[in-house]
Each structure stands twice: as C-alpha cells, then as structure tokens.
Amino acid sequence: MSTNKLKYLLQLADNALILGHRISEWTGHGPVLEQDIAITNTALDHLGQARSLYQYAAETYNQLSENDKTDFFASPVFLNHTQPVTEDTLAYLRDGWDFRNALLVEQPNGDWAYTIARSFFYDHYSVLLYTALKDSSDATIAAVAEKSLKEALYHHRWSSEWVIRLGDGTEESKARMQEAIDERWAFSGELLTPSEADNTMLKAGIGIDLDALKATWFTNVEDILSQATLNIPSKEAWMHEGGKTGTHSEHLGYILAEMQYMQRAYPGMEW
Amino acid sequence: MNNEWPLWEIFIRSKTGLDHKHVGSLHAVDAEMAIENARDVYTRRMEGVSIWAVESKYIHASNPDDAGELYDPANDKVYRHPTFYDLPIELKHM
C-alpha cells in the first residue's frame, strides 16, 4: 500500500519535475521576450508542484519498513545516502530507471511547435488530473491538487491558444504544428493509461479513474485541434508506454546528467 | 517588411477599488496574448488583480511642443483650486 502510494506520488512528481526541466531549457531562448518569461513562469510552476509532491514522497519513503526501503529503489548513490530522504535526494540521487514520469515529458523541445504540442497534451491531462485529485481521500494530495489546478488551468489555456494560433496561422506554422501534434501523439496515451500504482490508488480512494477521463481528454483536445483547423490523429493509434514503470527513452539520461551533475559531483552543495 | 509583433500598452489595477495605472508596454499578436503576456511580465509578483491592454497605435498623445499653449495658461488661475473655502475645524483630512 505505502509502496504503491510512493510509486503514485513519484509518477506525479517526476512528470512535473522532468517537464519543468525540459521547459526551463527555453529560458533565455524564447522566441520573444514576453514568451520567454511566460514559459519560464510555467517551468517554475511545474517545479513548485514537483517540490510539494517530492516532500510528501520523501515523508512516505522515510516511513517505509527497512525491507521496503532497500527494495524500492535501485540507484546505488541513493541507497548509499545515509541521511533521511528529502525532496532533493529524490530529485538528484535517483537514476533513470527509478523515475516514473511518462515518456511524453522527457521528449526533447524540438521547435516551438513541438514544445507546445507536448505541453498541450500534458496540460489537458493535468487539468483533469488535478480536478479529480482535489477529492482525494489523502488530505495532502488533495491540497497539492487544489493549488496546482489553478496553475494547470492557466497552462492549458496558454498551450491551447498557441495550438490554435499556429494551426490556424500561416502555411508554415500550420505544417509545423501539425507535424508536432502527429509526432507527439503517440506519447499522449500513456498519461491516461493506468499503471499498477494508479489502479491500487484508485481502489484506495486516493487516486483517480484515468480510464473515465480518457473520453473527456480526447473531446477537449479534439475541440482545440478543430479550432486550430488541424487534423485530429486517430484515437486507435499505437501508443508508447513504459515511463510509469521506469523504462525510459534515451532522453531521460541526458536530462538527469545535466540536472543532477552538481549534486553528484559536490554532494549537499548549496548556493 | 516589418516582422515585429504589434506593441501594446499595459495598465494594471493593483487592488480592487484603485484605478488602472500604466505599467509599461509589450509585444503580442492579439489582445488575448497581450493580456496573458502582461500577466506573465507584470503580475508575477502579485502586482495586480486586473489588466487592461490597449494597442499602442490607438493611444493619441499631446505634442510636447504644444506644452506652452496647452498648460501654461493655467499657471495664474489659482482661483480654480478649491483652496478658498473656510472649512470647519472639526473637518479633518481635507
């Protein structure tokens, strides 16, 4: 039960951290100053959500039995760490196979359209996720969901408007937006495909029913894509999976190498 | 060809009941984006509760060269100030 709750928290937290990190790569490189600030704000929102969830995950981990603890992660540096686990330990000392984010969020930024498409699929998911999680029987998760929902609503408005603007824009912007939607589509399914942790938490009243949200997610996404005059990819398309259980694309390793380098090279460093 | 996005003037109301104050300008392709950019650029430290965006080209400004004829004539008309009334002592904060 506790281990499944921890897995569940890590799914949520790792999504937020890895997407936030990816988006933060735009800082200083945005297409215009105003959008550079906008996307950096969004990165910080995701990072803030990740922190709240990691703090709770750390608390949950520290309460596990010694046996559960040794079995849970397979990251050598994490396991050699003797202090109580904190949000930082979880973010900086786990290796890729111990991350549970969906494959979508670790995909590279590509051009602006690719970045928007990734956020667009994720933001529509996170609005549904946090709306439902507000009623979680777990008070901490419910509180994080309530705070995060406001941010997610703004993110989904922002990314949806960009999809419409580029899709219903010039010939070139439309072609690029369509390509990004088509290419990223195969990564969207995993968000709403329940893992073992999702199912266990649903039964416990802590998690949410992802299957029940699929239809709404599709309708909402379809609505924006129609407004954007873009083709809607098939619901039946084959989807990538594996991130939620620790099987990642090669991209995650590069993200972690950059993100974790400082704490690995200079443990406990502060600045 | 001019590839710059249009310029917008941004006005922020810092608290309900106060008036909107000009805070600066930014670029955006349309009004929705102007308001969202203003939200991200000018209210990220809780500076506001309401945003107005006006495309800069719709702002008409007086010409500084006309300052003499526009503003100087008011210089010697002190009687236009409401400072000649005798106020009761009990009345404070006027």
Side-chain angles (χ1 to χ4, degrees):
Chain A
M1 167 66 189
S2 301
T3 53
N4 270 310
K5 181 164 149 189
L6 181 54
K7 286 178 190 169
Y8 188 70
L9 287 168
L10 290 174
Q11 279 180 204
L12 302 176
D14 291 344
N15 273 345
L17 177 67
I18 300 301
L19 184 61
H21 185 83
R22 266 294 186 225
I23 291 179
S24 79
E25 292 171 4
W26 274 105
T27 306
H29 303 276
V32 295
L33 176 129
E34 291 83 351
Q35 290 299 322
D36 192 279
I37 296 175
I39 203 162
T40 304
N41 282 350
T42 307
L44 286 170
D45 287 347
H46 288 301
L47 196 61
Q49 293 172 14
R51 285 197 60 194
S52 307
L53 292 161
Y54 280 138
Q55 284 162 13
Y56 191 38
E59 202 180 296
T60 310
Y61 179 86
N62 289 328
Q63 286 165 3
L64 291 180
S65 70
E66 287 309 312
N67 274 346
D68 282 347
K69 276 185 195 170
T70 27
D71 291 345
F72 197 86
F73 291 124
S75 307
V77 176
F78 185 98
L79 292 170
N80 285 333
H81 186 75
T82 49
Q83 311 295 320
V85 163
T86 66
E87 50 181 316
D88 287 338
T89 331
L90 289 171
Y92 294 125
L93 300 187
R94 280 180 304 150
D95 295 317
W97 48 82
D98 280 333
F99 273 76
R100 294 180 174 272
N101 57 282
L103 298 175
L104 175 74
V105 298
E106 68 199 43
Q107 297 309 304
N109 286 340
D111 63 9
W112 190 249
Y114 271 77
T115 296
I116 295 295
R118 186 185 57 204
S119 283
F120 172 64
F121 294 148
Y122 181 82
D123 296 343
H124 275 265
Y125 152 78
S126 72
V127 164
L128 297 177
L129 168 79
Y130 288 132
T131 304
L133 267 187
K134 275 196 307 175
D135 300 323
S136 169
S137 68
D138 185 297
T140 309
I141 294 182
V144 173
E146 185 162 353
K147 176 175 173 284
S148 306
L149 178 61
K150 288 181 186 168
E151 295 168 347
L153 283 167
Y154 187 76
H155 300 164
H156 112 298
R157 167 174 158 168
W158 180 86
S159 54
S160 299
E161 280 175 12
W162 267 110
V163 169
I164 295 170
R165 194 173 286 127
L166 294 177
D168 193 15
T170 65
E171 207 174 302
E172 184 180 356
S173 73
K174 187 191 182 93
R176 286 192 186 207
M177 195 66 240
Q178 185 71 61
E179 183 193 316
I181 292 286
D182 292 346
E183 199 279 336
R184 287 275 154 80
W185 183 252
F187 292 99
S188 67
E190 187 185 11
L191 294 171
L192 290 154
T193 304
S195 64
E196 190 201 334
D198 285 318
N199 287 329
T200 318
M201 288 303 101
L202 170 62
K203 284 196 199 108
I206 295 173
I208 61 167
D209 189 355
L210 290 176
D211 282 322
L213 297 177
K214 265 185 188 164
T216 318
W217 182 89
F218 192 81
T219 312
N220 294 347
V221 164
E222 195 177 31
D223 173 50
I224 301 295
L225 292 176
S226 320
Q227 287 183 53
T229 69
L230 292 167
N231 297 328
I232 297 151
S234 163
K235 254 191 230 188
E236 316 302 328
W238 177 82
M239 295 286 174
H240 293 278
E241 275 181 50
K244 284 183 175 186
T245 47
T247 310
H248 292 277
S249 63
E250 72 274 26
H251 303 299
L252 183 65
Y254 291 99
I255 297 176
L256 297 183
E258 185 177 335
M259 189 179 77
Q260 298 179 333
Y261 162 76
M262 199 66 97
Q263 283 301 320
R264 302 265 185 149
Y266 305 96
M269 185 198 188
E270 289 181 38
W271 70 89
Chain B
M1 197 178 130
N2 182 8
N3 279 325
E4 283 278 316
W5 290 353
L7 192 65
W8 299 72
E9 299 302 321
I10 303 302
F11 301 82
I12 306 270
R13 164 183 278 169
S14 55
K15 271 200 289 197
T16 310
L18 296 182
D19 47 3
H20 287 74
K21 285 243 162 47
H22 185 239
V23 293
S25 53
L26 49 74
H27 292 95
V29 293
D30 51 37
E32 262 169 356
M33 196 204 269
I35 287 182
E36 286 170 16
N37 283 350
R39 178 258 192 197
D40 284 318
V41 176
Y42 293 115
T43 70
R44 58 204 294 272
R45 298 182 187 88
M46 300 179 27
E47 293 94 335
V49 295
S50 166
I51 297 169
W52 285 353
V54 183
E55 208 176 330
S56 306
K57 67 179 180 190
Y58 294 116
I59 303 263
H60 300 275
S62 60
N63 185 342
D65 294 343
D66 296 340
E69 63 196 69
L70 288 178
Y71 314 117
D72 288 353
N75 276 351
D76 58 349
K77 304 193 171 60
V78 287
Y79 51 83
R80 289 179 180 169
H81 292 276
T83 48
F84 296 94
Y85 296 97
D86 291 327
L87 294 175
I89 298 210
E90 299 79 34
L91 197 60
K92 292 182 175 112
H93 309 302
M94 279 292 283

